[in-house]
Amino acid sequence: MYQGFYTLASGMLTQSRNLNVISNNMVNVQTAGYKNDTMVTSTFQEEMLYRTGRHSKGNPQELGITSKIATASRTYVDYGQGSFDPTGGVYDFALSGNGFFCIRTLDGEERYTRNGSFAVDSDNYLVLNDVGRVLSADGQYIRIDNEEFSVDEKGRITLETMVNGQLVTRDYGTLKVVDFADYDALHREDNGLYSTDQAQIPVTQQNETAVIWQNLERSNVDMMEEMTAMMSSQRALQSAAQMLRMYDTVMGKSATDVGRL
């Protein structure tokens, strides 16, 4: 009977963790570039069950493998493309295809993101607010002192002006966009950032990846799916809690009433 406590308690802990993952998805449904998380459950400490005779314990017969404990195996990130939201903002960028924008954080570390909701700081450098400055393809900061610029699909930021009757093109730099061979090796951090020790793969020169100017990539979270998963997880959690209360009642009876017999 005590084995039921392990099964139910581990189920409650697992469902509680799953609800945390679902809640985080729902909170970030409006966060630009956010990628959906899915928690996968597994079992722990599998054991083989045997059947033996009531008197003779020889020649046991295998019945099957069981596990008393459920646990969270890992959390997978869905890196699927989100839809595009035309904002008209000159500092808004989205990526169509694979890849990540590169940000140098306030700590001097390089991090990667799909969130292209940029701005300029007091020194006119392109930044991701509260995170750090955006890097160009040559690893430098991008300084923009005129909002009349334009951006092409390769992420090149230019400004065309007339000087002495001639059209002059000023190059502010090209957004650094990189990809990685193994997305499972990416580590998710706060503020929609990712870190990894993998080698960077430049992608702005590939036809399948394009920078979409004056747009933001929406989160790829499906709100209806998350609400359905949340209700299912809550019901599983409540059922386990009710069963635990029943176990507690039965164990109390066995320790008091049955014990007196």
Side-chain angles (χ1 to χ4, degrees), residues 5-239:
F5 282 102
Y6 292 104
T7 303
L8 294 170
S10 64
M12 290 181 63
L13 292 173
T14 301
Q15 293 302 329
S16 178
R17 182 173 177 181
N18 189 38
L19 284 172
N20 290 336
V21 173
I22 295 172
S23 299
N24 187 58
N25 288 337
M26 297 176 71
V27 166
N28 287 282
V29 70
Q30 296 296 333
T31 301
Y34 179 81
K35 300 304 178 183
N36 183 66
D37 279 337
T38 302
M39 195 191 78
V40 178
T41 60
S42 182
T43 56
F44 177 77
Q45 194 68 33
E46 293 184 344
E47 299 174 348
M48 175 65 74
L49 292 180
Y50 292 90
R51 182 173 64 187
T52 61
R54 299 180 63 181
H55 302 288
S56 175
K57 303 301 182 183
N59 300 319
Q61 180 181 355
E62 294 182 359
L63 295 180
I65 297 176
T66 185
S67 176
K68 307 297 188 300
I69 298 177
T71 184
S73 175
R74 60 168 297 179
T75 300
Y76 288 93
V77 181
D78 177 11
Y79 292 98
Q81 179 75 58
S83 60
F84 298 113
D85 181 18
T87 64
V90 295
Y91 299 118
D92 289 340
F93 303 85
L95 289 176
S96 174
N98 297 331
F100 299 86
F101 297 112
C102 298
I103 310 294
R104 180 157 291 141
T105 66
L106 302 178
D107 296 329
E109 302 290 337
E110 188 168 344
R111 295 294 183 261
Y112 314 98
T113 184
R114 295 281 296 195
N115 183 2
S117 181
F118 300 147
V120 291
D121 60 14
S122 58
D123 296 320
N124 293 323
Y125 286 104
L126 194 64
V127 297
L128 181 61
N129 283 330
D130 301 322
V131 176
R133 289 178 175 175
V134 181
L135 293 178
S136 66
D138 57 0
Q140 303 299 312
Y141 299 138
I142 299 174
R143 189 171 186 272
I144 301 176
D145 54 11
N146 191 320
E147 293 186 350
E148 301 300 322
F149 61 87
S150 61
V151 183
D152 63 18
E153 291 187 352
K154 302 302 180 184
R156 185 187 178 201
I157 305 173
T158 57
L159 174 67
E160 293 185 347
T161 56
M162 295 296 297
V163 178
N164 298 325
Q166 294 183 343
L167 185 63
V168 176
T169 300
R170 182 178 177 184
D171 192 347
Y172 285 118
T174 300
L175 292 170
K176 183 178 181 180
V177 182
V178 299
D179 198 14
F180 301 98
D182 184 10
Y183 279 18
D184 288 338
L186 294 176
H187 175 67
R188 171 171 272 177
E189 300 184 0
D190 295 334
N191 300 312
L193 300 178
Y194 298 89
S195 62
T196 183
D197 294 330
Q198 298 179 77
Q200 300 175 357
I201 304 174
V203 297
T204 51
Q205 302 303 317
Q206 301 177 7
N207 295 329
E208 60 268 22
T209 300
V211 175
I212 312 299
W213 184 38
Q214 296 184 336
N215 281 258
L216 290 176
E217 182 185 3
R218 292 179 179 270
S219 163
N220 65 355
V221 174
D222 188 319
M223 195 63 171
M224 293 301 297
E225 289 186 1
E226 296 303 313
M227 291 179 66
T228 302
M230 180 184 67
M231 289 187 291
S232 177
S233 187
Q234 283 179 332
R235 288 172 181 170
L237 179 61
Q238 292 169 356
S239 298

